[in-house]
Amino acid sequence: MPACLPEMHAHPSPADQPLSITYDHESREMERYRGLALSFLPTRPEVSRLMATLGIECEQRLGALETLAEQLQRRHCLPATLARRRSLAEQYRLHLFISNDAMACQTLGYALAFARHSLQFSELMAQHCQLARLDTLLARFVDSKRYECRLLEEVRAGAYAASARA
């Protein structure tokens, strides 16, 4: 019998919490990158595309987590479906469109700070995970998030350079 019952959906067992917490974290990351993609769209379409791509990578990580949960017969332990979360997030979403270089630099700084936090989160989860096969998946996430941080560092450095020339 599975460790967490469908009616106990909001409270997975301690053994299932790393899977549940990681899934929730990635879904928030995906929503954040999608919001950033929209924010950068009017003035910096190349940054918008990068943010959209990073959001897609989060979505792929969510798919990998769902696949693993199904293989482990733990799909019912994952947080609320993305469709429900999206509708709640959209009710409270406020998009701020990037209108100048200073705003772009500041927003990219925040994006990088969040990406570094996400990397640290994934590193900690990978180090302390005791759920079968999730640790291997988390190690892949860590590599992906390191690359994500490098990309954001480069984009931010380019934005600062462009801002200094202006």
Side-chain angles (χ1 to χ4, degrees), residues 120-136:
Q120 290 174 336
F121 171 85
S122 294
E123 287 173 335
L124 286 170
M125 292 301 288
Q127 289 172 1
H128 300 288
C129 178
Q130 297 178 355
L131 187 60
R133 297 188 296 185
L134 180 57
D135 55 349
T136 304

Side-chain angles (χ1 to χ4, degrees), residues 57-86:
E57 288 181 11
C58 291
E59 192 171 5
Q60 291 171 343
R61 287 191 287 265
L62 286 168
L65 288 167
E66 289 171 358
T67 299
L68 179 62
E70 287 178 20
Q71 291 171 354
L72 298 173
Q73 298 180 342
R74 297 283 188 259
R75 180 71 173 97
H76 56 278
C77 296
L78 294 180
T81 64
L82 283 178
R84 181 170 171 260
R85 283 190 56 127
R86 254 188 226 125

Side-chain angles (χ1 to χ4, degrees), residues 3 33 48 77 95 104 134:
Y33 278 123
S48 176
C77 296
H95 286 291
L134 180 57

